[in-house]
Amino acid sequence: MAAPGGARRWPLLLLLFGLVHGASAVFVVKDGNGTACIMANFSAAFLTSYDTKNGSKSVTFELPASAEVLNSSSCGKGNASDSSLVIAFGRGHTLTLSFTRNATRYSVQLMRFVYNLSDTGIFPNSSSKETKTVESVTDIRADINKKYRCVSSKQIHLRNVTVTLRDATIQAYLSNDSFSTEETHCEQDGPLPPSPTAPPQPSPTPVPASPSVSRYNVSGTNGTCLLASMGLQLNVTYRTRDNTTVTREFNIDPSKTTFGGNCTARLVTLALRSGNLLLVLQFAMNASSSRVFLQGVQLTMTLPDARDPAFRAANDSLRALQAAAGNSYKCDAEERVQVTEAAFLNIFRVWVQAFRVDGDKFGPVEECQLDANSMLIPVAVGGALAGLVLIVLIAYLIGRKRSHAGYQTI
């Protein structure tokens, strides 16, 4: 009945080692005659939290390549009534899209996610082993005989679980056994740009204010492995739909951002998600030198006005924010980390420590060279002024001695 595609699983542990991003998968539901009635092509990420003995823990994971369509999926009666797509993966997890229709439109009336907390591969050290079910209505809808298309990341909130669909093409009540050539776009993609009669003149993009500084932490089975306080800003260069190259800056707003992470003996990861943006920071430790540093950065975001809205950048060979193991790295000056030629990560007022963290306290501070240089300037100016005062004083004393020598006692 079903044909799973080539999606990748993305639990947060894979973020640690590969900084990978899930690929799309194609799912098909067929009727008793072997005719397709539902087709869906998308990648999906799940973000939730669960209880452990050490408190609540956040986890993010992808729909894996092994996902498959279950026989409980249905085309409904005569491909004209309620139908459903049921996708299963892992140890008892299912994602269900329930469709309904009227004379002109169809929609995903309900999305349901069932997840099994006894799956230690996704929920390590979970205090509960029960299976939970969450569901919500959605605004995924399209015209009959048209496919639903959404290039942008789309989030559906199912109580404590957020499902993010990326680069989605979905169609139910198929009439010709395949996707329609016509499509209904999601609101996130915005209207298609009109064909201009004259080349549009680019308007200046205002530079955003410095990002807000926020505190982040990541804990594992052995306690805290990462403490960080910083403001984050993204600088990306891309081509717009009218083929204009633009460079824009985006601040990460802590009030709209969720974060999680993971700890291993070699790598510590901090993953931040804000809307359709995912930023992953990977810290490593050199065993021979006992130096800790920012090794990898992965950025995935949607740019609605870009020629290719799905923007991705990754670099796993960095050597930024370095400090000795057990020490913290601090820099009040703005640090600019180049991820690729088209992407920079600007870090403001950073104070970070990965590995060998003592509770919730930063270790001894190692200041950045930028701060050290900024301290040298006033010291140099002060030294120059002191030297100038000393020269003036010596000149004055010499001059005064010579003036006395010109007068003899009678």
Side-chain angles (χ1 to χ4, degrees):
M1 172 183 286
R8 280 186 180 180
R9 179 181 180 181
W10 176 34
L12 199 54
L13 189 61
L14 277 186
L15 283 176
L16 278 167
F17 293 101
L19 294 177
V20 296
H21 187 279
S24 293
V26 178
F27 303 98
V28 182
V29 178
K30 297 181 179 181
D31 61 19
N33 298 321
T35 302
C37 63
I38 300 174
M39 291 184 67
N41 183 357
F42 58 79
S43 61
F46 303 86
L47 172 64
T48 188
S49 59
Y50 63 99
D51 292 331
T52 69
K53 293 181 180 180
N54 297 321
S56 180
K57 183 176 181 179
S58 297
V59 63
T60 304
F61 52 96
E62 290 268 348
L63 192 66
S66 57
E68 59 183 1
V69 177
L70 292 185
N71 290 334
S72 55
S73 301
S74 171
C75 291
K77 293 183 179 180
N79 197 24
S81 60
D82 292 352
S83 56
S84 62
L85 167 63
V86 184
I87 303 170
F89 65 96
R91 295 175 55 187
H93 316 298
T94 59
L95 177 67
T96 302
L97 279 64
S98 298
F99 296 86
T100 189
R101 63 170 291 173
N102 56 28
T104 59
R105 307 201 83 186
Y106 67 92
S107 65
V108 178
Q109 183 182 38
L110 190 72
M111 179 178 287
R112 177 183 296 111
F113 181 52
V114 178
Y115 59 104
N116 179 13
L117 290 172
S118 64
D119 186 347
T120 56
I122 296 178
F123 306 103
N125 304 314
S126 174
S127 301
S128 172
K129 304 302 179 184
E130 64 181 325
T131 298
K132 292 193 173 185
T133 301
V134 290
E135 59 185 25
S136 175
V137 296
T138 81
D139 61 352
I140 298 175
R141 57 179 62 91
D143 298 330
I144 292 292
N145 295 326
K146 290 185 179 181
K147 62 189 176 186
Y148 169 86
R149 187 76 177 101
C150 197
V151 177
S152 304
S153 295
K154 181 174 183 60
Q155 292 188 337
I156 300 96
H157 300 284
L158 318 177
R159 288 205 313 231
N160 64 317
V161 178
T162 298
V163 180
T164 302
L165 301 182
R166 295 185 297 263
D167 196 15
T169 303
I170 302 171
Q171 187 171 356
Y173 310 103
L174 295 168
S175 59
N176 57 1
D177 207 30
S178 64
F179 281 124
S180 171
T181 56
E182 296 184 275
E183 54 191 37
T184 299
H185 289 270
C186 64
E187 294 181 0
Q188 287 80 0
D189 284 353
L192 293 176
S195 299
T197 56
Q201 297 298 319
S203 56
T205 303
V207 178
S210 298
S212 300
V213 174
S214 185
R215 189 179 176 98
Y216 306 96
N217 65 81
V218 177
S219 298
T221 55
N222 296 322
T224 303
C225 65
L226 176 73
L227 283 179
S229 175
M230 55 191 170
L232 298 171
Q233 183 183 81
L234 301 169
N235 182 298
V236 298
T237 301
Y238 60 95
R239 286 187 177 273
T240 61
R241 291 177 178 177
D242 60 7
N243 211 31
T244 301
T245 300
V246 297
T247 299
R248 290 179 179 156
E249 292 177 336
F250 303 89
N251 289 341
I252 292 183
D253 184 353
S255 65
K256 300 178 182 178
T257 301
T258 59
F259 67 90
N262 210 340
C263 312
T264 71
R266 292 186 176 184
L267 297 169
V268 170
T269 289
L270 172 65
L272 303 100
R273 184 180 292 277
S274 178
N276 57 29
L277 180 150
L278 174 67
L279 177 66
V280 179
L281 306 181
Q282 179 189 50
F283 294 85
M285 180 168 60
N286 186 304
S288 59
S289 65
S290 293
R291 299 287 292 177
V292 177
F293 50 91
L294 175 65
Q295 182 187 59
V297 174
Q298 183 198 30
L299 169 63
T300 303
M301 64 188 302
T302 301
L303 301 168
D305 65 330
R307 189 171 63 180
D308 181 6
F311 182 90
R312 298 182 180 91
N315 190 332
D316 61 359
S317 59
L318 301 171
R319 290 295 183 273
L321 315 184
Q322 292 195 43
N327 289 356
S328 60
Y329 176 90
K330 190 173 185 180
C331 195
D332 289 330
E334 176 187 350
E335 295 229 26
R336 188 173 171 87
V337 178
Q338 182 173 1
V339 183
T340 64
E341 291 184 358
F344 288 81
L345 174 63
N346 302 330
I347 310 176
F348 293 76
R349 296 174 59 190
V350 61
W351 193 4
V352 63
Q353 182 175 350
F355 302 99
R356 302 184 188 177
V357 180
D358 184 12
D360 60 350
K361 297 179 181 179
F362 287 104
V365 172
E366 293 188 26
E367 292 190 358
C368 64
Q369 190 61 43
L370 291 173
D371 285 355
N373 292 342
S374 65
M375 289 297 295
L376 287 176
I377 295 175
V379 170
V381 172
L385 290 176
L388 182 60
V389 170
L390 182 60
I391 292 172
V392 171
L393 180 60
I394 292 173
Y396 168 75
L397 293 175
I398 293 174
R400 185 178 180 188
K401 182 176 181 181
R402 287 179 177 176
S403 64
H404 278 288
Y407 298 92
Q408 302 295 325
T409 305
I410 300 176

